[in-house]
Amino acid sequence: DFDFDFRLDWGCGSTPVRADAIPWQGDYLVALTSGADFGGCGIPGGAAPATRLQIARFSTSFESELLYEVDLGRSVQGLAVEPRDGGAWLAVREDGAGAATTIDVYRLDENGVPIGDATVIDPHGPVGDATMFDAAPMGDGLVVSYRDHVTNRLTIQIVESDGRLGANAVLNG
């Protein structure tokens, strides 16, 4: 929850732009997608598809610093940032254009940079049918929930503090 309003001109694209933020080290840690360089949305002719994942620090005085960027090669359907001891969690689901995609969970260090490879959660459904997910911290781990659009089951998956998949529960819809 932000206690101030500002316009975020850092992310733009010819496909939907996604963003999430958390309070972080006295500022805000923001994960966003963009089709342009960080802070460069005044592009003549428009931006490219929002395939760039950018992690940045934003201060309450509107200063920003890009911490990490990667071009995923595909647009993002959803993302979530959550706090964890010594950094943050980042969960990302790319747009598979109707093909099945995974939810990739990254541990971010104290500088906002991913640690190692992603933990992969396979929700068994194409993105085109709005299989959404949510994430929340649980102790030092992360809980990810998602609905399988084919079976209408809700799955709750724990990601342990070291990034390994933990227990899960499946609820019939």
Side-chain angles (χ1 to χ4, degrees):
D1 295 338
F2 294 101
D3 58 357
F4 61 93
D5 293 323
F6 68 97
R7 184 174 165 199
L8 183 64
D9 284 330
W10 288 273
C12 58
S14 61
T15 56
V17 174
R18 310 292 184 200
D20 196 16
I22 57 170
W24 191 66
Q25 300 177 2
D27 292 322
Y28 293 93
L29 181 70
V30 179
L32 63 123
T33 60
S34 184
D37 291 336
F38 183 71
C41 283
I43 299 173
T51 61
R52 294 181 187 190
L53 175 64
Q54 299 170 340
I55 301 171
R57 174 193 304 263
F58 286 84
S59 73
T60 56
S61 61
F62 304 105
E63 295 175 10
S64 62
E65 173 189 8
L66 181 64
L67 304 173
Y68 179 81
E69 179 177 24
V70 63
D71 190 334
L72 299 171
R74 294 196 284 192
S75 298
V76 170
Q77 182 208 23
L79 61 85
V81 180
E82 295 295 339
R84 73 171 189 86
D85 192 32
W89 291 101
L90 172 64
V92 178
R93 183 142 191 219
E94 295 177 31
D95 185 343
T101 60
T102 58
I103 300 168
D104 299 325
V105 178
Y106 299 89
R107 293 178 304 138
L108 305 181
D109 67 15
E110 66 278 356
N111 298 310
V113 176
I115 300 169
D117 294 331
T119 299
V120 177
I121 299 171
D122 185 358
H124 311 293
V127 171
D129 200 74
T131 302
M132 302 302 294
F133 75 92
D134 199 6
M138 185 177 92
D140 289 334
L142 186 73
V143 175
V144 178
S145 62
Y146 58 89
R147 182 185 69 87
D148 183 319
H149 83 287
V150 174
T151 63
N152 203 29
R153 292 181 180 152
L154 175 68
T155 299
I156 301 167
Q157 175 68 60
I158 295 174
V159 179
E160 302 289 349
S161 61
D162 62 1
R164 289 178 301 112
L165 291 178
N168 69 18
V170 178
L171 308 171
N172 290 321

